[in-house]
Amino acid sequence: MQFEILIPRADLERRARELATAIAPPADGAPPVVVAVLEGARPFADLLCRHLPGRPSWQGIRASSYGDGTVSRGAVAVQGEEQLEVRGRTVLLVEDIVDTGRTVQRIRESLFARGAVAVQVATLLSKPARRVVPVVLEHVGFEVPDAFVIGFGMDAAGCYRDLPYVAIHPTEGGSRSA
Ligand code: IMP
């Protein structure tokens, strides 16, 4: 199937390098704890960490929001947070795409509840037209229109994550699991 390419691979790489340069190291000089929301943020987290000072490794958590098809309905379930050691640390939360903002809000609150001193969000994509929760996003790769996108980690019903670019899915299929 041919897709309309929204962001080619070269642009994704260039932007990840720019973001990595713009992400200031925590004030205490320690590297941030990098937490990626799986599965979608895996390729972006890999790319970003490759360009961050000290090439930090990242840890993954899983998030899914309940809804039907492509429509997120609110409650966000998160798995794997209990394994994160964030007390007293600055966390860099890496997302593939921020849509309603509920996932970022839910995870940010829980990181603070677990003792993180600061949380910064780096998201590859943001869809501002769909925002429900007014989340602050410190680092945004690209703003995208209100269309269902796939590729570079993002899926439609489990497919297309391995496309090397971001494309628009023609029929807006897919689930909203991260
Ligand atoms: P939220 O609505 O901001 O909580 O986003 C929840 C999750 O939905 C994101 O982390 C993505 O994994 C997924 N998502 C939202 N929009 C898209 C899209 O256009 N394509 C693929 N996944 C999406």
Side-chain angles (χ1 to χ4, degrees):
M1 198 188 284
Q2 283 293 321
F3 298 111
E4 182 190 339
I5 297 181
L6 192 61
I7 310 171
R9 169 85 195 191
D11 290 2
L12 296 169
E13 293 197 1
R14 175 188 50 75
R15 191 70 184 122
R17 271 197 306 275
E18 286 172 1
L19 291 182
T21 308
I23 294 169
D28 62 7
V33 177
V34 186
V35 176
V37 186
L38 299 176
E39 278 295 317
R42 183 184 292 279
F44 178 48
D46 280 340
L47 198 52
L48 196 62
C49 285
R50 206 175 301 154
H51 296 294
L52 281 173
R55 288 184 163 227
S57 54
W58 55 266
Q59 303 169 65
I61 57 175
R62 290 180 186 276
S64 51
S65 50
Y66 299 111
D68 49 349
T70 59
V71 181
S72 167
R73 282 287 170 81
V76 177
V78 181
Q79 289 172 277
E81 292 170 298
E82 57 290 339
Q83 273 130 48
L84 300 174
E85 301 277 344
V86 297
R87 185 156 301 281
R89 304 289 302 276
T90 292
V91 177
L92 179 66
L93 179 63
V94 182
E95 259 283 28
D96 51 355
I97 182 164
V98 177
D99 186 51
T100 64
R102 290 187 178 113
T103 303
V104 160
Q105 183 196 42
R106 159 73 177 74
I107 297 173
R108 199 200 286 265
E109 280 173 4
S110 126
L111 290 168
F112 279 123
R114 288 167 186 278
V117 291
V119 178
Q120 289 193 6
V121 178
T123 184
L124 178 64
L125 307 180
S126 172
K127 250 193 245 182
R130 296 211 5 117
R131 204 74 86 242
V132 172
V133 179
V135 281
V136 174
L137 305 174
E138 287 81 4
H139 305 283
V140 177
F142 301 90
E143 290 197 347
V144 294
D146 182 10
F148 198 80
V149 296
I150 51 171
F152 207 68
M154 289 166 285
D155 76 311
C159 300
Y160 313 120
R161 286 194 198 279
D162 58 347
L163 292 176
Y165 46 78
V166 173
I168 293 182
H169 192 273
T171 57
E172 277 217 338
S175 70
R176 287 274 164 156
S177 64

